[in-house]
Amino acid sequence: MERKEIIYLALLIFVTFIWGVTFPMIKDVFVYLSPVSFLAIRFVVASLIFLPFVYRKLKESNRDTIRYGVIAGVFLFIAYYLQTVGLMYTEPALSGTITGIYVVFVPLISYLYLRKPVMRIEIYSSVFAFIGLVLMSYSGLHNLAIEAGDILTFIAAIFYAMQLVYVSKYASDVDPLTFSFLQIVVVAVLSLAFMRTDMYPLVFSYYALFVVVFTAIFATFLATYVYVSALSKMNVTKVGVILIGEPIFADITSIFLFNEPVGPVEVLGICIMIASIGVISYFSD
């Protein structure tokens, strides 16, 4: 691997670490905010953080850049919204597992949309990464009946895959900072629009404020810029497999902070996921 790709690889792993660490924090925020309200406030704050860095670049942006950013933002919002609403009607472990299906869709959508051949190692890594995710979530998968939330989350997974592939197509042709900002703004605006129909009461707390600011800076502003930049240089399937490593850090955080038990099946799943990430990082172009 080239030096620049190694740097992006390290940054992507850091992003998955941030997403994993914030997962237990976000679950606790729902005591004070509804999921949609949390999304709206988080992405508004992230947009404001972006603005000073991207203000001058926006004036120089052409119509294509704006169009690409808006479309990518719509994909991202639909994925976030469906996953959030679906989480209300399904178990968290099952939601995470179904969302992880996106890693299997990425090479397929990449082949159909980008018209690029997909290496066998990419397909194998994607499938094994998802198998590892299922095993890692084993203890939380109690209900095998299909619920409405499961269907919404499955559709969200498809949109996550579509968003990754779409961004990978245009990321190298536009300024990554502007491209990232436009996506964040679109999610913020659409979340605010759907927040108007949300009857969930808002309760102020310093903890909720901390989580909103923390996720806005690290899990939204920084994370979006990193993965958009990485997609301009790296294979989209590779990026997708690396990003699915988020639950690994979520589980590790839960073990250390909340003393949650972990069994041999879960450990096996973690090992398979790490191996899949390592294999595709080393062998995939």
Side-chain angles (χ1 to χ4, degrees):
M1 287 190 295
E2 297 180 359
R3 182 180 178 182
K4 183 174 290 187
E5 187 168 339
I6 293 174
I7 294 174
Y8 279 127
L9 177 63
L11 288 173
L12 284 172
I13 292 175
F14 176 71
V15 165
T16 63
F17 166 75
I18 291 296
W19 284 344
V21 168
T22 55
F23 184 76
M25 297 164 55
I26 292 172
K27 287 200 301 183
D28 292 336
V29 166
F30 293 156
V31 175
Y32 310 101
L33 300 171
S34 74
V36 177
S37 298
F38 172 73
L39 281 181
I41 299 172
R42 168 183 167 180
F43 278 86
V44 166
V45 173
S47 298
L48 294 175
I49 295 171
F50 257 114
L51 198 54
F53 298 98
V54 78
Y55 178 72
R56 290 184 179 180
K57 293 178 179 290
L58 282 173
K59 294 181 178 180
E60 303 170 358
S61 299
N62 55 39
R63 291 183 178 180
D64 287 340
T65 299
I66 295 173
R67 185 173 75 252
Y68 299 153
V70 169
I71 293 174
V74 171
F75 282 148
L76 188 60
F77 168 75
I78 294 173
Y80 264 114
Y81 183 76
L82 291 177
Q83 183 190 30
T84 301
V85 175
L87 188 58
M88 299 179 184
Y89 305 103
T90 191
E91 297 179 11
L94 186 55
S95 174
T97 302
I98 296 174
T99 301
I101 294 176
Y102 86 84
V103 78
V104 180
F105 284 119
V106 165
L108 175 61
I109 295 175
S110 180
Y111 174 76
L112 295 175
Y113 184 62
L114 302 181
R115 299 297 181 181
K116 292 182 178 180
V118 180
M119 298 172 59
R120 288 185 179 181
I121 193 67
E122 296 171 12
I123 298 174
Y124 294 154
S125 296
S126 298
V127 172
F128 275 98
F130 178 67
I131 291 173
L133 177 62
V134 172
L135 293 175
M136 197 177 70
S137 309
Y138 173 77
S139 61
L141 303 179
H142 304 299
N143 183 16
L144 297 180
I146 298 178
E147 305 288 348
D150 304 339
I151 297 174
L152 292 175
T153 308
F154 179 80
I155 299 173
I158 296 176
F159 275 95
Y160 275 126
M162 291 171 62
Q163 200 265 350
L164 270 179
V165 174
Y166 184 85
V167 170
S168 73
K169 181 173 182 177
Y170 299 107
S172 59
D173 300 327
V174 298
D175 175 65
L177 194 63
T178 305
F179 198 20
S180 302
F181 172 74
L182 291 169
Q183 294 176 62
I184 298 304
V185 168
V186 169
V187 176
V189 170
L190 293 177
S191 296
L192 285 171
F194 277 77
M195 186 179 168
R196 294 180 59 186
T197 64
D198 189 357
M199 303 304 292
Y200 198 98
L202 301 179
V203 180
F204 175 81
S205 81
Y206 287 106
Y207 176 76
L209 178 62
F210 166 76
V211 174
V212 166
V213 174
F214 186 86
T215 55
I217 295 173
F218 293 101
T220 309
F221 167 70
L222 179 63
T224 304
Y225 179 63
V226 166
Y227 87 73
V228 168
S229 300
L231 284 169
S232 69
K233 304 295 183 182
M234 296 174 64
N235 179 292
V236 63
T237 303
K238 180 187 293 189
V239 173
V241 171
I242 295 170
L243 293 179
I244 203 179
E246 172 193 352
I248 297 175
F249 294 109
D251 270 22
I252 292 174
T253 303
S254 297
I255 291 169
F256 281 100
L257 294 183
F258 305 108
N259 296 316
E260 291 188 6
V262 58
V265 176
E266 288 84 354
V267 172
L268 175 62
I270 291 174
C271 292
I272 291 175
M273 289 187 70
I274 293 175
S276 300
I277 293 171
V279 167
I280 196 170
S281 298
Y282 185 81
F283 289 105
S284 178
D285 294 330

